């Protein structure tokens, strides 16, 4: 192919290749470049053969192949590689050109890069991309943010390649300024951590506690996928549990119980701490992966530390129904906490994030896609100022209906000695939210006792602070007050 391309893509790893093929299939001409130019040649001879895809063997050649204003998507490893690539591209760019970072970059890095490129008149966009290899090829969920002037120039192409809802709505919309797009993608990944851990805990209770076979568990997840738990992750869990290798052996039984992670979950937890948000479920999901990776330590401890290993006593069918309710209720809490973090960031960074629009973008194409997100979208459409999903009528009723099974599942797991950190954290958060009184009065008394941090009183207006000389030996100097 020769001539001018509509967009350029740098990086021919799995996501880059599949996005290029997706873009071209929507009627756009694409130019591509990879630092290792042999990959360009292989791509042109293979999957890109006969398509409107132009291979370039230098960044200068790539720039010359694009229509103006030039749109260049960076599909390279997040971090230093992005900064190095921008440094190489900058002398080749002209005012009005658009750089799009489609990797999992940290939102603060995206904001920094956007502001630095403003001096050169370059429009910088941080693009959250979800859906993995299949999504990139067939239609991902896309979360762009950055310089708003770039959106009208990118909207048609990005919405064309994105996933679509059943009504034909694109799962791509402008998130907000600076690093908003990558922040939304980061929280998406955090929720993904929570969903995966909750499903893993349900599997563990069925496998270890109820002694169900892989076949029965697969059918159970498949049944759940026909109801309120319908989602991509539940669907693939059913497939995984049913899958057997060439020898007829279940593959799941031979996979080491040590989970990996790339870092977006940790970023989400760190950001929640920075913004003072109780992201307890996702935090436990991240720590559960960390604990799982300590395989050797756990094997050693299993031979030394004694605990309960009680067998399940009860009706399996009823217990499985309770487990389904526990998974559903915990999932509601996970999304509640995730959207609270999004709203807190929107306020802190003045991004004006639209929670309903975010839910809509996540409805198809991404890893956490589910019918559940339709309900979240509806909740924010009806109440744009909704601060807590659990307070919307639909989810309030859902939690009430699921609560008995949720409590019995967590209690039974504890009795059997099966760890359910995410489900337990979800239930504790629910009970904490609905508690008019928490034991924080004692915490404040302790802080005042040892540090003169002062406290508010129930018989005085909020905002008035008091100190007690608990020992009779304290001085008159008081500590400053600290928020969360």
């Amino acid at each position: 192919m020769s001539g001018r391309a509509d967009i350029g893509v740098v990086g021919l790893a799995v996501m880059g290749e599949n996005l290029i093929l997706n873009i071209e299939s929507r009627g756009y001409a694409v130019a591509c470049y990879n630092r290792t130019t042999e990959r360009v040649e292989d791509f042109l001879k293979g999957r890109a053969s006969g398509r409107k895809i132009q291979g370039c063997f230098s960044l200068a050649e790539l720039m010359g192949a694009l229509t103006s204003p030039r749109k260049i998507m960076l599909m390279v490893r997040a971090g230093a590689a992005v900064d190095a690539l921008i440094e190489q591209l900058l002398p080749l760019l002209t005012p009005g050109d658009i750089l799009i970072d489609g990797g999992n970059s940290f939102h603060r890095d995206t904001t920094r890069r956007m502001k630095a490129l403003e001096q050169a008149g370059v429009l910088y966009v941080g693009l959250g991309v979800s859906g993995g290899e299949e999504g990139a090829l067939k239609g991902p969920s896309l979360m762009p943010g950055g310089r708003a002037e770039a959106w009208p120039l990118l909207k048609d192409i990005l919405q064309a390649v994105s996933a679509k809802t059943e009504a034909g709505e694109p799962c791509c919309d402008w998130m907000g300024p600076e690093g908003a797009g990558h922040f939304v993608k980061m929280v998406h990944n955090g929720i993904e951590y929570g969903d995966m851990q909750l499903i893993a805990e349900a599997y563990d209770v069925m496998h270890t506690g109820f002694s169900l076979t892989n076949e029965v568990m697969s059918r159970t997840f498949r049944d759940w996928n026909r109801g309120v738990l319908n989602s991509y992750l539940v669907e693939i869990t059913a497939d995984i549990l049913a899958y057997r290798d060439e020898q007829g052996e279940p593959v799941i039984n031979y996979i080491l119980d040590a989970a990996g992670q790339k870092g977006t979950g940790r970023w989400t937890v760190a950001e929640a701490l920075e913004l003072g948000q109780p992201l307890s479920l996702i935090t436990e999901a991240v720590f559960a992966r960390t604990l799982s990776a300590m395989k050797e330590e756990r094997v050693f401890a299993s031979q030394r530390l004694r605990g309960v290993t009680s067998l399940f006593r009860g009706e399996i069918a009823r217990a499985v129904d309770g487990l389904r309710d526990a998974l559903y209720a915990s999932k509601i809490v996970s999304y509640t906490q995730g959207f609270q973090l999004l709203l807190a960031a929107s306020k802190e960074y003045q991004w004006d994030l639209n929670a309903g629009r975010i839910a809509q973008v996540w409805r198809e194409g991404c890893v956490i896609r589910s019918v559940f997100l339709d309900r979240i979208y509806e909740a924010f459409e009806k109440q744009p100022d909704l601060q807590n999903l659990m307070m919307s009528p639909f989810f309030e009723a859902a939690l009430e209906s699921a609560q008995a099974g949720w409590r019995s599942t967590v209690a039974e797991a504890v009795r059997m000695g099966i760890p359910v950190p995410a489900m337990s954290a979800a239930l504790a958060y629910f009970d904490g939210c609905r508690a008019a009184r928490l034991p924080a009065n004692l915490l404040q008394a302790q802080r005042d006792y040892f540090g003169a941090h002062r406290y508010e009183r129930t018989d005085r207006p909020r905002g008035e602070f008091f100190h007690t000389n608990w020992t009779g030996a304290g001085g008159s100097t008081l500590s400053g007050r600290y928020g969360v």
Side-chain angles (χ1 to χ4, degrees):
M1 172 195 158
S2 62
R4 293 299 181 100
D6 300 297
I7 189 169
V9 177
V10 180
L12 288 177
V14 172
M15 291 295 287
E17 274 197 12
N18 283 292
L19 272 173
I20 290 169
L21 294 171
N22 183 355
I23 295 169
E24 192 273 343
S25 73
R26 311 297 173 178
Y28 294 94
V30 189
C32 64
Y33 167 77
N34 193 79
R35 183 172 57 88
T36 307
T37 55
E38 289 83 358
R39 295 200 68 152
V40 179
E41 293 176 341
D42 293 341
F43 185 46
L44 293 176
K45 293 175 183 176
R47 300 175 77 194
S49 178
R51 296 175 178 265
K52 292 186 296 181
I53 298 172
Q54 179 177 344
C56 301
F57 297 90
S58 70
L59 289 175
E61 184 183 355
L62 178 71
M63 295 298 102
L66 301 175
T67 57
S68 183
R70 293 175 291 188
K71 308 171 188 68
I72 308 100
M73 185 178 294
L74 314 181
M75 297 300 298
V76 298
R77 187 182 182 90
V82 178
D83 287 314
L85 183 54
I86 291 172
E87 188 174 341
Q88 290 178 275
L89 283 167
L90 192 54
L92 305 173
L93 298 171
T94 56
D97 287 343
I98 304 169
L99 279 187
I100 311 152
D101 177 9
N104 268 333
S105 289
F106 187 45
H107 74 97
R108 296 183 195 275
D109 288 337
T110 302
T111 297
R112 168 179 58 80
R113 291 165 185 149
M114 189 201 79
K115 291 180 176 178
L117 287 168
E118 284 178 353
Q119 300 174 14
V122 176
L123 308 180
Y124 194 76
V125 172
L127 177 66
V129 181
S130 180
E133 180 180 356
E134 181 182 10
L137 180 63
K138 298 179 180 179
S141 170
L142 298 176
M143 295 148 266
R147 283 291 298 273
E149 300 93 319
W151 179 232
L153 303 171
L154 296 175
K155 182 177 180 179
D156 288 347
I157 188 169
L158 292 183
Q159 291 193 336
V161 303
S162 73
K164 308 296 185 297
T165 66
E166 289 186 0
E169 300 162 310
C171 292
C172 169
D173 207 344
W174 188 251
M175 296 291 103
E178 299 179 339
H182 276 141
F183 189 97
V184 172
K185 175 55 166 46
M186 178 194 74
V187 174
H188 163 284
N189 284 20
I191 292 173
E192 179 185 309
Y193 273 57
D195 273 2
M196 294 172 72
Q197 177 63 26
L198 289 170
I199 291 170
E201 290 175 14
Y203 157 75
D204 197 20
V205 170
M206 284 193 281
H207 175 264
T208 305
F210 302 163
S211 300
L212 300 184
T213 65
N214 290 340
E215 290 75 14
V216 171
M217 288 187 288
S218 175
R219 287 199 301 270
T220 300
F221 278 107
R222 214 169 294 286
D223 288 342
W224 287 357
N225 198 48
R226 297 188 184 101
V228 294
L229 287 171
N230 176 271
S231 66
Y232 172 73
L233 286 170
V234 170
E235 176 187 336
I236 68 170
T237 300
D239 291 344
I240 289 167
L241 290 168
Y243 192 85
R244 292 176 178 270
D245 62 19
E246 294 81 359
Q247 287 73 45
E249 295 294 325
V251 174
I252 187 66
N253 292 2
Y254 294 94
I255 297 176
L256 186 71
D257 57 322
Q261 52 185 311
K262 289 187 175 180
T264 48
R266 293 198 301 271
W267 290 349
T268 310
V269 172
E271 196 66 29
L273 291 171
E274 186 74 22
L275 295 172
Q277 294 301 306
L279 201 77
S280 52
L281 190 154
I282 293 171
T283 301
E284 287 294 346
V286 172
F287 286 151
R289 291 197 187 192
T290 304
L291 182 60
S292 79
M294 300 166 61
K295 176 66 176 179
E296 289 73 21
E297 292 93 326
R298 289 189 291 109
V299 170
F300 178 73
S302 71
Q303 300 165 355
R304 299 287 300 273
L305 300 178
R306 295 182 179 180
V308 295
T309 53
S310 302
L311 298 176
F312 174 73
R313 305 187 199 95
E315 184 185 340
I316 292 290
R318 185 173 182 178
V320 168
D321 286 345
L323 182 59
R324 176 202 59 212
D325 291 344
L327 178 56
Y328 185 46
S330 299
K331 187 180 175 78
I332 293 172
V333 169
S334 181
Y335 282 74
T336 295
Q337 293 182 354
F339 274 91
Q340 282 185 313
L341 178 58
L342 287 168
L343 294 173
S346 181
K347 182 178 179 180
E348 175 71 17
Y349 303 125
Q350 299 180 335
W351 283 343
D352 195 27
L353 297 179
N354 186 312
R357 190 163 62 200
I358 292 169
Q360 186 177 37
V361 165
W362 289 348
R363 286 193 295 176
E364 293 292 343
C366 66
V367 174
I368 63 172
R369 61 185 182 267
S370 67
V371 296
F372 185 89
L373 284 156
D374 291 329
R375 297 298 189 178
I376 295 177
Y377 171 71
E378 291 166 6
F380 283 113
E381 281 293 292
K382 291 176 181 177
Q383 295 177 258
D385 60 344
L386 180 65
Q387 295 298 307
N388 187 309
L389 270 177
M390 297 193 304
M391 303 300 180
S392 68
F394 175 84
F395 290 113
E396 185 179 351
L399 287 167
E400 183 176 349
S401 175
Q403 191 174 158
W406 192 10
R407 292 188 185 281
S408 64
T409 295
V410 172
E412 186 63 25
V414 171
R415 191 192 68 79
M416 293 188 293
I418 299 172
V420 285
M423 287 186 185
S424 300
L427 185 56
Y429 174 83
F430 172 77
D431 285 336
C433 281
R434 68 182 191 84
R437 180 183 180 278
L438 289 170
N441 57 326
L442 179 56
L443 298 180
Q444 280 302 102
Q446 292 169 335
R447 295 180 73 240
D448 190 56
Y449 188 107
F450 64 68
H453 291 293
R454 295 178 282 174
Y455 53 82
E456 295 173 278
R457 294 178 60 97
T458 58
D459 57 353
R460 300 294 296 175
R462 292 297 305 267
E464 291 187 29
F465 288 83
F466 302 85
H467 169 65
T468 293
N469 188 349
W470 299 93
T471 65
S476 59
T477 303
L478 301 177
S479 174
R481 290 183 285 107
Y482 304 90
V484 293

